[in-house]
């Protein structure tokens, strides 16, 4: 399946009596970046979690479509990469060991050289590869999360505040990664960072 689009129609989410996300519609298309902006609490992260299948919407629907037709929900994970501030990395492992583990979990055959090249693309050089992630700064951990999200070249990439805790060089590395992957992937970015807003081919503005 060469490309996957994600269509969402009137998607909303409630937690008890609280509305976390009002009805939102849109499409993630291969080769484009959809930016989701809005104030804190407007539902940016909730929307990305719904698109990832982590949350089920209280209303509306999400459909993954590929060249062979609709992708069953049970197979979304095969096409999906995601990085978010609340996602964890294994701090008792090195960065390289984290990537080895995630590659194995996805059934991928990736050489250490390939994994190291991805880490270096995100600004983690060979000196950092052998250090435990628990000794990393928050920005370095964010780089590992981004590497994990893209190590399988996903058809759908969901990034929640991808430059969180990153310095200028880290932001540039994240921007370069998005620029490389946007040629084939459908990408959604939840952000209020002006630098990331500039990546948008399309934009959704959520309100409280």
């Amino acid at each position: 399946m060469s490309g996957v689009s994600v269509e969402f129609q009137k998607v909303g989410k409630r937690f008890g009596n609280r509305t976390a996300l009002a009805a939102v519609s849109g499409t993630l298309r291969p080769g484009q970046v959809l930016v989701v902006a809005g104030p804190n609490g407007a539902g940016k992260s909730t929307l990305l979690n719904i698109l990832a299948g982590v949350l089920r919407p209280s209303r509306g629907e999400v459909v993954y479509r590929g060249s062979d037709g609709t992708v069953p929900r049970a197979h979304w994970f095969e096409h999906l990469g995601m990085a978010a501030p609340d996602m964890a990395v294994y701090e008792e492992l090195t960065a390289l060991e984290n990537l080895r583990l995630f590659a194995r979990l996805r059934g991928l055959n990736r050489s250490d050289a390939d994994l190291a090249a991805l880490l270096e693309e995100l600004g983690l050089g060979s000196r950092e590869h052998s250090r435990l992630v628990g000794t990393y700064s928050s920005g370095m951990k964010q780089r590992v999360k981004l590497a994990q999200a893209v190590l399988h070249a996903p058809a759908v990439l969901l990034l929640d505040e991808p430059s969180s805790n990153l310095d200028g060089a880290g932001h540039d590395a994240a921007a370069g990664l998005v620029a490389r992957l946007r040629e084939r992937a459908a990408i959604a970015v939840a952000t209020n960072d002006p630098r990331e807003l500039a990546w948008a081919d399309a934009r959704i503005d959520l309100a409280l």
Side-chain angles (χ1 to χ4, degrees):
M1 189 173 293
S2 58
V4 176
S5 63
V6 182
E7 302 168 9
F8 50 104
Q9 294 294 325
K10 297 181 179 179
V11 168
K13 183 66 178 178
R14 291 181 64 84
F15 295 100
N17 294 324
R18 183 176 71 87
T19 298
L21 180 69
V24 181
S25 299
T27 303
L28 307 185
R29 294 182 173 86
Q32 294 186 352
V33 176
L34 172 67
V35 164
V36 182
N40 292 339
K44 300 187 298 296
S45 297
T46 298
L47 177 58
L48 260 62
N49 281 319
I50 289 172
L51 298 182
V54 175
L55 292 176
R56 286 191 177 270
S58 302
R59 61 171 297 186
E61 66 173 354
V62 179
V63 179
Y64 278 48
R65 297 191 190 280
S67 57
D68 299 326
T70 301
V71 179
R73 184 185 179 91
H75 293 280
W76 289 5
F77 175 74
E78 299 169 16
H79 308 284
L80 175 67
M82 186 173 185
D86 58 351
M87 295 180 71
V89 289
Y90 290 98
E91 298 198 350
E92 66 274 21
L93 301 178
T94 67
L96 198 58
E97 288 169 342
N98 266 274
L99 293 195
R100 279 186 200 140
L101 174 60
F102 276 81
R104 192 177 307 122
L105 290 173
R106 285 191 173 273
L108 302 174
N109 183 18
R110 293 287 188 272
S111 69
D112 280 358
D114 288 342
L115 299 179
L118 178 56
L119 290 170
E120 287 168 8
E121 180 181 1
L122 284 162
L124 292 174
S126 57
R127 233 178 7 175
E128 283 82 24
H129 295 177
S130 59
R131 285 175 52 192
L132 298 182
V133 171
T135 69
Y136 280 12
S137 68
S138 56
M140 293 170 70
K141 290 176 184 176
Q142 177 66 8
R143 295 171 195 242
V144 177
K145 294 177 187 179
L146 291 171
Q148 289 176 353
V150 304
L151 66 87
H152 56 301
V156 178
L157 179 61
L158 306 177
L159 301 175
D160 191 354
E161 299 181 6
S163 292
S164 175
N165 299 313
L166 294 180
D167 57 15
H171 165 77
D172 290 345
L177 194 69
V178 169
R180 174 169 67 82
L181 293 174
R182 75 190 301 167
E183 296 181 6
R184 60 174 296 276
I187 302 175
V189 180
T191 185
N192 286 321
D193 187 321
R195 300 168 300 177
E196 295 169 354
L197 295 175
W199 300 346
D201 297 300
R203 177 168 166 170
I204 292 174
D205 287 281
L206 302 180
L208 289 172

